[in-house]
Amino acid sequence: MAQMQNSVAKRHHMMVICIGEEMSLQVKQLMRRDFIVLAPSVPLSYAIRVLSGAELPVALVIDERGALAGIIDCACLLKGMAAGVSEIPVEKVMCQQWLWLQENASLDELPWDQMAGACYPVRDGGGALVGVVYSFDLTRGLYEHHQASTKELDAIIDSFYDGIYISNQDAVTVKVNSAYERITGIKPGEVVGQRLQDLLDQGLFTHSSTLLVLETGQPVTVVSRIKRTGKEVIVSGSPVFNDQGQLVKVVNSVRDITELNRLKQQLEQEKELQQRFTSELKELRARQLDMDVVVHSEEMLQVVDLAVRVAEVDSTVLILGESGVGKEVIAKIIHAKSPRVNGPFIKINCGAIPENLLESELFGYEGGAFTGARKQGKPGLFELAHGGTILLDEIADLSPSLQVKLLRVLQEQELLRVGGTHPVKVNVRILAATNKNLRQMVKLERFREDLYYRLNVVPIEIPPLRQRRDDILPLIVHFAAKFNQKYKTNRYLSPEVIDRLLSYQWPGNVRELENMVERLIVTSRGHVVNQDMLPESLQGEDAANYASGGLTLGPLKRTLQEVEKQLIDRALRQCRSTRKAARVLGINQSTVVRKARQYCLATGEGVFHK
């Protein structure tokens, strides 16, 4: 598409437009503020589904900073599908060159000799993206403010990439551009001067938006089939009024959606379509959380989805996972999405408070219960959490005597203060978290079995970061932006540093990754964080050896899969092609491709995403 636009632009390079002093229409009067937005990481298949049902099949790609990263249209989608990988992100195929328009610019100020695209992003005086204007809208604006059909005006319309079909108030065709002939195969001489109804009767095409616009006086969009080629086109018609408010012309934009529909049908036939829809729904639900949550991997999407679903009820939840994986984050999600969201959320670390103080902190005490106690007594955290949620972190460190008291709260929804004689009713949801194996502790009689089963109503196990490697890069980007904003710096990590961070096993999980990124941002001597800023554990062969040999004991099947994933990933990084990697590993190329897709690994040919 870019080559076609360039050739058209060169054709009109010497064209000078003199539309006249009377033209005062500005770009902002034609631009649209409601347009389709996609994230750079959105799969190509998702973009096809969205654009195939859109009136104008063009989308702007906006990065996480809110800046315009590219433009996606039908040509980009076809280019991506030609590569045979429907799950590559749209950033791999989007157009990264475009022409900005200023919202306050009048039409006679526009660089018409450079305008051959389907749409143009619009920015305000401060450089912020505020809308988009389509070539179709520009055509309508030209006709509204320049009624004479001049040679210059025709040249402008001919330069547009979209097909343009213009009729008068009597439904007689007065102008079609060269793009219309390219899209439909219908020559201008076959339609110019002809009534639309006659063309319909001849079966040249199946539907006319012009007739509907003339009937209603409103913009109309229809899908029509071209009899000669069998192509499907989407036609958007818009009325043009004169100064007296009379409808004098109808301007139609014509776009070929045949290939787009074919791609959509192809995707709908894929066996994994429903699975992908489910993943997209999980991701959307995660993004809708009003919290500082970064979720990208399929493993964490499932965890978050379960947390959101269980939040709707009051069941006790046991959150399991290594230190630093984000157990508190999941607990906050459960509270934030629950009916108790307006109640308090209280977290207490059962391992951080001495046992002799923990009981009074949890359950409170009556006045005079012990030396130094307040005369009027003090409510405990369970009472303070009334109507809300309490998170008991490191629940495995709770003493046997406190385990008995906690069991009563779970069973009876009441507690007894230290030194008290009357039970206190509480309405609180209990979430528990631990990095230890409670089931093993029950077998060793270090944790009450009845309490374990009371807590383990809905277990949520968070996988360690090394088992959800798709989250590492998004987390790096998130933390870098977070600390740059916090410390008012503008530093970024070099590709070599990111590569080392991606290959590291992160025994401290997300907390260790966050601390590492903060360390690199605040200690860097320049804008770029280079490899020499990394600690020794991430330098040279140590990191590579750790990445391949620092496996944690676990189920054999899962461990073997992790080793397989690491070896294939390492072979692909070194060989840069699936064929060479297959030779090194001594397996078929098809096996490498299948495994790369399974583990979402980068190859020399692209990046596989779930």
Side-chain angles (χ1 to χ4, degrees), residues 364-378 417-420:
Y365 58 83
E366 297 289 353
F370 52 84
T371 304
R374 293 181 182 178
K375 185 178 296 185
Q376 67 274 24
K378 177 186 175 184
R417 287 184 177 183
V418 175

PDB file of all heavy atoms in Angstrom, residues 364-378 417-420:
ATOM      1  N   GLY A 364      -8.202  -8.371  69.289  1.00  0.00           N
ATOM      2  CA  GLY A 364      -8.449  -7.266  70.203  1.00  0.00           C
ATOM      3  C   GLY A 364      -8.389  -7.718  71.659  1.00  0.00           C
ATOM      4  O   GLY A 364      -8.144  -8.884  71.959  1.00  0.00           O
ATOM      5  N   TYR A 365      -8.608  -6.772  72.574  1.00  0.00           N
ATOM      6  CA  TYR A 365      -8.578  -7.124  74.001  1.00  0.00           C
ATOM      7  C   TYR A 365      -9.518  -6.207  74.779  1.00  0.00           C
ATOM      8  O   TYR A 365      -9.878  -5.113  74.340  1.00  0.00           O
ATOM      9  CB  TYR A 365      -7.149  -7.022  74.549  1.00  0.00           C
ATOM     10  CG  TYR A 365      -6.497  -5.651  74.405  1.00  0.00           C
ATOM     11  CD1 TYR A 365      -6.741  -4.631  75.330  1.00  0.00           C
ATOM     12  CD2 TYR A 365      -5.629  -5.389  73.351  1.00  0.00           C
ATOM     13  CE1 TYR A 365      -6.151  -3.393  75.198  1.00  0.00           C
ATOM     14  CE2 TYR A 365      -5.023  -4.157  73.203  1.00  0.00           C
ATOM     15  CZ  TYR A 365      -5.286  -3.159  74.129  1.00  0.00           C
ATOM     16  OH  TYR A 365      -4.700  -1.924  73.995  1.00  0.00           O
ATOM     17  N   GLU A 366      -9.911  -6.696  75.930  1.00  0.00           N
ATOM     18  CA  GLU A 366     -10.744  -5.909  76.838  1.00  0.00           C
ATOM     19  C   GLU A 366      -9.863  -5.048  77.735  1.00  0.00           C
ATOM     20  O   GLU A 366      -8.668  -5.331  77.916  1.00  0.00           O
ATOM     21  CB  GLU A 366     -11.613  -6.842  77.691  1.00  0.00           C
ATOM     22  CG  GLU A 366     -12.604  -7.674  76.905  1.00  0.00           C
ATOM     23  CD  GLU A 366     -13.750  -6.854  76.338  1.00  0.00           C
ATOM     24  OE1 GLU A 366     -13.852  -5.654  76.668  1.00  0.00           O
ATOM     25  OE2 GLU A 366     -14.545  -7.405  75.549  1.00  0.00           O
ATOM     26  N   GLY A 367     -10.448  -4.002  78.302  1.00  0.00           N
ATOM     27  CA  GLY A 367      -9.690  -3.130  79.190  1.00  0.00           C
ATOM     28  C   GLY A 367      -9.131  -3.892  80.374  1.00  0.00           C
ATOM     29  O   GLY A 367      -9.849  -4.688  81.007  1.00  0.00           O
ATOM     30  N   GLY A 368      -7.853  -3.682  80.680  1.00  0.00           N
ATOM     31  CA  GLY A 368      -7.231  -4.339  81.815  1.00  0.00           C
ATOM     32  C   GLY A 368      -6.905  -5.791  81.588  1.00  0.00           C
ATOM     33  O   GLY A 368      -6.632  -6.524  82.540  1.00  0.00           O
ATOM     34  N   ALA A 369      -6.923  -6.232  80.345  1.00  0.00           N
ATOM     35  CA  ALA A 369      -6.669  -7.650  80.064  1.00  0.00           C
ATOM     36  C   ALA A 369      -5.243  -8.037  80.387  1.00  0.00           C
ATOM     37  O   ALA A 369      -4.966  -9.192  80.746  1.00  0.00           O
ATOM     38  CB  ALA A 369      -6.978  -7.967  78.600  1.00  0.00           C
ATOM     39  N   PHE A 370      -4.323  -7.098  80.283  1.00  0.00           N
ATOM     40  CA  PHE A 370      -2.923  -7.368  80.619  1.00  0.00           C
ATOM     41  C   PHE A 370      -2.240  -6.052  80.916  1.00  0.00           C
ATOM     42  O   PHE A 370      -2.787  -4.962  80.662  1.00  0.00           O
ATOM     43  CB  PHE A 370      -2.209  -8.108  79.468  1.00  0.00           C
ATOM     44  CG  PHE A 370      -2.355  -7.439  78.127  1.00  0.00           C
ATOM     45  CD1 PHE A 370      -1.515  -6.407  77.743  1.00  0.00           C
ATOM     46  CD2 PHE A 370      -3.353  -7.849  77.237  1.00  0.00           C
ATOM     47  CE1 PHE A 370      -1.641  -5.802  76.521  1.00  0.00           C
ATOM     48  CE2 PHE A 370      -3.494  -7.246  76.007  1.00  0.00           C
ATOM     49  CZ  PHE A 370      -2.632  -6.216  75.647  1.00  0.00           C
ATOM     50  N   THR A 371      -1.040  -6.132  81.457  1.00  0.00           N
ATOM     51  CA  THR A 371      -0.294  -4.945  81.832  1.00  0.00           C
ATOM     52  C   THR A 371      -0.010  -4.092  80.606  1.00  0.00           C
ATOM     53  O   THR A 371       0.479  -4.583  79.585  1.00  0.00           O
ATOM     54  CB  THR A 371       1.037  -5.326  82.495  1.00  0.00           C
ATOM     55  OG1 THR A 371       0.760  -6.168  83.620  1.00  0.00           O
ATOM     56  CG2 THR A 371       1.787  -4.093  82.943  1.00  0.00           C
ATOM     57  N   GLY A 372      -0.320  -2.811  80.716  1.00  0.00           N
ATOM     58  CA  GLY A 372      -0.086  -1.897  79.600  1.00  0.00           C
ATOM     59  C   GLY A 372      -1.259  -1.792  78.648  1.00  0.00           C
ATOM     60  O   GLY A 372      -1.217  -1.009  77.702  1.00  0.00           O
ATOM     61  N   ALA A 373      -2.316  -2.576  78.908  1.00  0.00           N
ATOM     62  CA  ALA A 373      -3.470  -2.518  78.023  1.00  0.00           C
ATOM     63  C   ALA A 373      -4.261  -1.231  78.258  1.00  0.00           C
ATOM     64  O   ALA A 373      -4.290  -0.688  79.366  1.00  0.00           O
ATOM     65  CB  ALA A 373      -4.373  -3.729  78.269  1.00  0.00           C
ATOM     66  N   ARG A 374      -4.915  -0.740  77.216  1.00  0.00           N
ATOM     67  CA  ARG A 374      -5.747   0.445  77.349  1.00  0.00           C
ATOM     68  C   ARG A 374      -6.917   0.164  78.287  1.00  0.00           C
ATOM     69  O   ARG A 374      -7.468  -0.931  78.302  1.00  0.00           O
ATOM     70  CB  ARG A 374      -6.295   0.867  75.984  1.00  0.00           C
ATOM     71  CG  ARG A 374      -5.238   1.374  75.012  1.00  0.00           C
ATOM     72  CD  ARG A 374      -5.909   1.778  73.701  1.00  0.00           C
ATOM     73  NE  ARG A 374      -4.949   2.224  72.708  1.00  0.00           N
ATOM     74  CZ  ARG A 374      -5.273   2.604  71.464  1.00  0.00           C
ATOM     75  NH1 ARG A 374      -6.551   2.570  71.094  1.00  0.00           N
ATOM     76  NH2 ARG A 374      -4.348   2.995  70.635  1.00  0.00           N
ATOM     77  N   LYS A 375      -7.301   1.195  79.009  1.00  0.00           N
ATOM     78  CA  LYS A 375      -8.386   1.024  79.965  1.00  0.00           C
ATOM     79  C   LYS A 375      -9.697   0.690  79.260  1.00  0.00           C
ATOM     80  O   LYS A 375     -10.500  -0.093  79.768  1.00  0.00           O
ATOM     81  CB  LYS A 375      -8.522   2.300  80.795  1.00  0.00           C
ATOM     82  CG  LYS A 375      -9.556   2.199  81.910  1.00  0.00           C
ATOM     83  CD  LYS A 375      -9.600   3.477  82.726  1.00  0.00           C
ATOM     84  CE  LYS A 375      -8.270   3.707  83.433  1.00  0.00           C
ATOM     85  NZ  LYS A 375      -8.332   4.900  84.339  1.00  0.00           N
ATOM     86  N   GLN A 376      -9.914   1.308  78.113  1.00  0.00           N
ATOM     87  CA  GLN A 376     -11.160   1.080  77.389  1.00  0.00           C
ATOM     88  C   GLN A 376     -11.090  -0.113  76.444  1.00  0.00           C
ATOM     89  O   GLN A 376     -12.066  -0.418  75.743  1.00  0.00           O
ATOM     90  CB  GLN A 376     -11.574   2.325  76.597  1.00  0.00           C
ATOM     91  CG  GLN A 376     -10.650   2.677  75.437  1.00  0.00           C
ATOM     92  CD  GLN A 376      -9.460   3.530  75.866  1.00  0.00           C
ATOM     93  OE1 GLN A 376      -9.067   3.502  77.026  1.00  0.00           O
ATOM     94  NE2 GLN A 376      -8.915   4.281  74.923  1.00  0.00           N
ATOM     95  N   GLY A 377      -9.959  -0.803  76.391  1.00  0.00           N
ATOM     96  CA  GLY A 377      -9.804  -1.933  75.490  1.00  0.00           C
ATOM     97  C   GLY A 377      -9.511  -1.491  74.055  1.00  0.00           C
ATOM     98  O   GLY A 377      -9.394  -0.293  73.760  1.00  0.00           O
ATOM     99  N   LYS A 378      -9.406  -2.461  73.170  1.00  0.00           N
ATOM    100  CA  LYS A 378      -9.061  -2.140  71.784  1.00  0.00           C
ATOM    101  C   LYS A 378      -9.639  -3.205  70.852  1.00  0.00           C
ATOM    102  O   LYS A 378      -9.480  -4.406  71.097  1.00  0.00           O
ATOM    103  CB  LYS A 378      -7.538  -2.086  71.617  1.00  0.00           C
ATOM    104  CG  LYS A 378      -7.079  -1.831  70.199  1.00  0.00           C
ATOM    105  CD  LYS A 378      -5.564  -1.941  70.093  1.00  0.00           C
ATOM    106  CE  LYS A 378      -5.104  -1.816  68.643  1.00  0.00           C
ATOM    107  NZ  LYS A 378      -3.643  -2.013  68.519  1.00  0.00           N
ATOM    108  N   ARG A 417     -12.433 -11.540  72.420  1.00  0.00           N
ATOM    109  CA  ARG A 417     -11.282 -10.680  72.682  1.00  0.00           C
ATOM    110  C   ARG A 417     -10.417 -11.266  73.805  1.00  0.00           C
ATOM    111  O   ARG A 417     -10.914 -12.047  74.641  1.00  0.00           O
ATOM    112  CB  ARG A 417     -11.734  -9.278  73.099  1.00  0.00           C
ATOM    113  CG  ARG A 417     -12.309  -8.432  71.972  1.00  0.00           C
ATOM    114  CD  ARG A 417     -12.611  -7.038  72.512  1.00  0.00           C
ATOM    115  NE  ARG A 417     -13.091  -6.142  71.481  1.00  0.00           N
ATOM    116  CZ  ARG A 417     -13.359  -4.854  71.692  1.00  0.00           C
ATOM    117  NH1 ARG A 417     -13.191  -4.341  72.923  1.00  0.00           N
ATOM    118  NH2 ARG A 417     -13.779  -4.099  70.706  1.00  0.00           N
ATOM    119  N   VAL A 418      -9.147 -10.881  73.834  1.00  0.00           N
ATOM    120  CA  VAL A 418      -8.258 -11.278  74.929  1.00  0.00           C
ATOM    121  C   VAL A 418      -8.803 -10.683  76.228  1.00  0.00           C
ATOM    122  O   VAL A 418      -9.037  -9.476  76.325  1.00  0.00           O
ATOM    123  CB  VAL A 418      -6.815 -10.783  74.675  1.00  0.00           C
ATOM    124  CG1 VAL A 418      -5.934 -11.107  75.886  1.00  0.00           C
ATOM    125  CG2 VAL A 418      -6.258 -11.406  73.408  1.00  0.00           C
ATOM    126  N   GLY A 419      -9.032 -11.546  77.205  1.00  0.00           N
ATOM    127  CA  GLY A 419      -9.586 -11.085  78.480  1.00  0.00           C
ATOM    128  C   GLY A 419     -11.081 -10.899  78.454  1.00  0.00           C
ATOM    129  O   GLY A 419     -11.674 -10.478  79.446  1.00  0.00           O
ATOM    130  N   GLY A 420     -11.732 -11.198  77.334  1.00  0.00           N
ATOM    131  CA  GLY A 420     -13.171 -10.994  77.206  1.00  0.00           C
ATOM    132  C   GLY A 420     -13.952 -12.242  77.559  1.00  0.00           C
ATOM    133  O   GLY A 420     -13.423 -13.358  77.586  1.00  0.00           O
TER     134      GLY A 420
END
